[in-house]
Amino acid sequence: MQLRYAFRLYPDTGQQTALAKAFGCARVVFNDAVYARESARKAGKPFPKIGELSTRLITQAKQTEERSWLGEVSAVVLQQSLRDAVTAYSNFFASLKGVRKGPRTGAPRFKARKDTRQSIRFTANARWKITDSGRLNLPKIGAVKVKWSRTLPTTPTSVTVVKDSAGRYFASFVIATDPQADAEQMPATDRTVGIDLGLTHFAVLSDGTKTDSSRFLRRAEKKLKKAQRELSRKQKSSKNREKARLKVARAHVKVTDARHEFHHQLSTKLISENQGIAVEDLSVTGLARTRLAKSVHDAGWASFVNMLEYKAQRYGRTLIKIGRFEPTSQVCSTCGVKDGPKPLDVREWTCAACGTVHDRDINAAINVKTAAGLAVSACGAPVRPELVLAQRTETGSHGFPTEPRAA
């Protein structure tokens, strides 16, 4: 299994200039590749292969006066940027054919110089290394200071250097983990749990445990509004506007980091304590169109479930998603009678058949666990299906976490 370990970088002024050149050259090669393929499409010609693009846009371009500055950065950075463009087209065509899962992916677009997030990738061919003093030595950039928050379990296969919207630099290492060693970290247990995700309480477990929602965005909303007002009053393209933009970005980054930390701690706790976990497959996109949109996005259910997925796969746990149309809030978990839908302000209700008084969220969590096949039988033995590992694929240089954690 491949994971990403992200660490904060602190480049000096000269290294920041070298990184800016690398970001710019990678962006130019990506845009040239998109332009070449779009020109071929409009002319009715077949798309040029990656080998032809590499020769024309990198090797031959370095010999011209207009693109001679491409030689100032590592060739591996340019090759990986070209590969990203080809991969983007592959994902686009796979999405059109319905082969690729998830929302439909659009055609690759040109990258702008004003994009606030930029990244470059170094593979093993670039001969980058971690020095004895703990610095990350990158070709044509130098030895960059790294804030190590943990030890890398194995030798990384590649490293992606990212500059986020708040001006922070990160190094994201791709690590291949050992399944046997991961399984030994968390021994097997007999416990199983169902989870009901909500807004008042972020997660309610079938054993009655409730985890309050921290509402990170709501708590920082006043500060964000003030920073956004200051940004809107600054003159465009001015240095003061860039300072105000960084202030807004850093405020958002604090919210994102706090939410990710909360998700990581809770998901790790659930994975370590339970062998089987059941959650509901919520339609976050649909809920985000309602009047609860801001609260739904603030909760970050999708990010939390994704963490449960890859951690379940890594440590040999069972994660089961039940259908989103399962009436978990309408069925009595004691007698199984469906009591009908209830408005959101009804937090407790009494079953008309057996007279049991239910907490709405705890009852739903128990029904989630039952629907997933993780309920306890009459003899007290847990009923679990066969182990089905959650699927997770490598995401390239995109979507890596903003804090030093595996993702």
Side-chain angles (χ1 to χ4, degrees):
M1 182 179 180
Q2 286 188 329
L3 298 175
R4 281 191 172 271
Y5 281 68
F7 302 91
R8 183 77 179 270
L9 293 180
Y10 293 92
D12 57 29
T13 304
Q15 293 167 348
Q16 290 181 18
T17 303
L19 285 171
K21 288 183 180 180
F23 292 143
C25 292
R27 182 186 67 252
V28 168
V29 171
F30 183 92
N31 290 343
D32 288 347
V34 173
Y35 179 77
R37 287 207 160 186
E38 284 298 307
S39 300
R41 181 186 65 82
K42 293 178 181 179
K45 299 179 181 179
F47 279 176
K49 302 296 183 181
I50 186 171
E52 179 184 349
L53 290 174
S54 177
T55 303
R56 191 203 319 173
L57 303 181
I58 299 178
T59 306
Q60 295 178 357
K62 288 180 181 180
Q63 302 172 2
T64 63
E65 185 178 354
E66 295 80 6
R67 292 284 192 268
S68 59
W69 34 264
L70 290 176
E72 298 178 6
V73 302
S74 172
V76 175
V77 169
L78 307 181
Q79 292 287 350
Q80 292 303 311
S81 181
L82 182 60
R83 191 173 296 276
D84 286 343
V86 175
T87 303
Y89 272 101
S90 299
N91 293 337
F92 169 59
F93 291 126
S95 181
L96 286 180
K97 296 176 183 178
V99 179
R100 190 174 188 271
K101 296 181 180 180
R104 178 166 292 185
T105 303
R109 296 180 294 181
F110 294 110
K111 292 184 178 181
R113 187 171 60 179
K114 295 183 179 180
D115 288 346
T116 56
R117 185 187 185 280
Q118 304 179 66
S119 65
I120 52 176
R121 185 165 62 255
F122 296 89
T123 59
N125 296 334
R127 298 180 181 178
W128 59 272
K129 66 177 182 179
I130 300 174
T131 64
D132 296 335
S133 59
R135 289 177 175 257
L136 178 62
N137 196 352
L138 300 172
K140 296 190 177 182
I141 293 176
V144 186
K145 182 182 177 181
V146 185
K147 181 67 174 179
W148 299 102
S149 58
R150 65 180 69 186
T151 304
L152 294 175
T154 58
T155 303
T157 57
S158 68
V159 59
T160 302
V161 179
V162 177
K163 181 183 179 183
D164 66 4
S165 60
R168 305 181 303 175
Y169 293 86
F170 291 91
S172 177
F173 299 92
V174 176
I175 301 294
T177 61
D178 183 9
Q180 184 177 359
D182 291 339
E184 293 175 355
Q185 294 182 23
M186 292 187 181
T189 177
D190 293 333
R191 294 187 58 183
T192 58
V193 69
I195 305 175
D196 178 65
L197 299 176
L199 297 178
T200 304
H201 296 93
F202 177 79
V204 178
L205 308 185
S206 55
D207 60 4
T209 304
K210 294 185 178 182
T211 302
D212 292 334
S213 179
S214 297
R215 301 180 180 180
F216 299 101
L217 179 62
R218 295 287 187 181
R219 289 190 297 173
E221 208 166 16
K222 183 176 180 180
K223 183 178 180 181
L224 284 169
K225 286 182 179 179
K226 181 180 179 181
Q228 193 65 51
R229 281 197 304 268
E230 293 176 356
L231 173 62
S232 64
R233 292 167 181 166
K234 297 296 185 292
Q235 184 178 356
K236 290 186 177 181
S237 302
S238 64
K239 291 185 178 180
N240 285 335
R241 184 178 179 86
E242 178 60 21
K243 294 178 183 178
R245 187 202 65 79
L246 279 175
K247 188 175 180 180
V248 173
R250 287 165 182 162
H252 278 289
V253 159
K254 288 183 179 179
V255 174
T256 303
D257 289 351
R259 185 186 297 117
H260 282 179
E261 181 70 14
F262 169 71
H263 289 168
H264 271 297
Q265 291 182 357
L266 181 59
S267 59
T268 301
K269 182 175 183 295
L270 292 172
I271 289 294
S272 62
E273 295 178 353
N274 301 278
Q275 185 69 29
I277 300 176
V279 294
E280 190 175 3
D281 185 19
L282 297 173
S283 176
V284 178
T285 305
L287 292 170
R289 298 193 186 103
T290 65
R291 60 186 178 86
L292 301 174
K294 184 180 289 187
S295 297
V296 169
H297 287 305
D298 191 12
W301 294 328
S303 174
F304 174 71
V305 174
N306 288 338
M307 291 180 186
L308 287 177
E309 282 184 330
Y310 86 78
K311 291 179 182 180
Q313 181 182 2
R314 182 182 184 184
Y315 298 111
R317 303 307 202 201
T318 303
L319 178 67
I320 301 175
K321 293 182 181 180
I322 68 169
R324 64 187 60 171
F325 299 108
E326 192 74 25
T328 55
S329 298
Q330 305 178 25
V331 177
C332 174
S333 59
T334 303
C335 63
V337 174
K338 186 176 181 180
D339 204 19
K342 302 165 188 62
L344 290 176
D345 59 343
V346 176
R347 309 315 303 172
E348 289 186 358
W349 58 282
T350 304
C351 177
C354 64
T356 305
V357 180
H358 291 292
D359 180 283
R360 180 192 182 105
D361 298 329
I362 297 177
N363 178 74
I366 296 174
N367 288 330
V368 169
K369 180 178 177 180
T370 304
L374 300 178
V376 179
S377 63
C379 63
V383 180
R384 296 199 304 268
E386 294 183 359
L387 182 63
V388 180
L389 294 179
Q391 299 298 315
R392 178 178 181 269
T393 56
E394 173 59 29
T395 57
S397 61
H398 304 286
F400 95 77
T402 56
E403 76 287 350
R405 285 194 173 271

